[in-house]
Amino acid sequence: MKAQSLRRHVVDEITATISKFGCAVTADIWTETYRKTSFLSATIHYVNEQSELQSRVLFAAPFDPSTPKTGENIRRHLLQNLRVFGIDATEMGRKIVFVTDRGANMISALRGYTRLNCTAHILNVTLSSAFGPAVMEISPEIARLLTDVKKLVTYFKHSGQQGKLRKSLKQSVETRWNSNFDMLNSVLEQYEDSASVLTESNNYDKIGRISASTLKLLVSFLKPFKEATDNFETDNTAPRASLILPWSVRLIEHCTCATKDPLLSEIATVCVTRLKELLSTDSTSLHSVHMLSDTQSARQTFTTLNQSYEEEPPTKILISTLGLSLRRSPDSGTVHHTSSARSRASVGLTTIPVGSSDESSPLHCRQVLRFFDVVDVAVHWGLPQLPLQSNVII
């Protein structure tokens, strides 16, 4: 009875919220390792009446092993399970934004609905491409390092020597995000301890062939990807969309600089190409609302970005890619939005009076206050432009 009561409460809250504000649904297909059963899972994200961000796992529904994971079958399976929670996507489609990986079957399943790519998954795809067989073939020193480090970790785990280290070494697992970084960093942090243990057992050659300087170089290259992924995935109590574009710029700048290093050149070049290809900075993208979705995170990210670069702050590059601009009238406190005709059509905003509470305006009072907080950030960093989009729930 208690479970049924809780479900009714959740269903009522979800349906009311979708009807009034809309929601996001993240969906994914994964396979458990024991019986190799595939599941389709979905999590809903929405803001309740108390303006609190809520994330609820709705279901993890198994696929019939005999059912192929085609777009049509995924769509049927997803919509059927959403209806259990009162979410009829055929009627509420315009109120729902789906977030998935870039799998062809997921894209096909949600054709006709608003769907965004999962940014954390994009970063994983980027690194998978950069460390794929073709690139490793032309980056032999990096390839040898990875092979030698994997062998070292395997030796420690299988020989019983792991217990002599302060922390366990981590093995790279293909399906685990940032797995190479975790493995390399675990060895780097305990390089000297590992060397001591191996020397005692006359096995120093297992780590002697691993260059500490190359290991440190590769860890430094991969670290921002790890930080970005963690940043996107942690703290479900606040929107993370504000971090996507700043991190996109930081990673592209980081990889562009790395192309100058002979050891990292090929890997970094692939990363730059893939990041530019997969991370859209189009001003009509839903992600361009990141400046309004979470001002505190945006402010922190601006600080990090500007302190990380001695030359022109990448935040200026970030904003200029969006083709939108704002100017603030010093006498009236009014912010004027100027842009191309195309941008004006997508934004639907020209002037917002300070503290306006007119609910017929594109942005309501609460949104206007957040908007001016963002403007203050821009003024503080001397940013000439700000992205803006009015068709996203804030």
Side-chain angles (χ1 to χ4, degrees), residues 102-121:
R102 299 177 63 255
N105 53 357
M106 293 297 284
I107 293 174
S108 173
L110 293 169
R111 189 165 286 119
Y113 294 96
T114 301
R115 192 198 66 83
L116 296 177
N117 293 323
C118 170
T119 305
H121 183 264

Side-chain angles (χ1 to χ4, degrees), residues 25-41:
V25 173
T26 51
D28 191 21
I29 296 176
W30 51 277
T31 303
E32 56 90 11
T33 55
Y34 181 59
R35 294 187 176 180
K36 306 299 181 184
T37 302
S38 295
F39 293 83
L40 172 66
S41 61

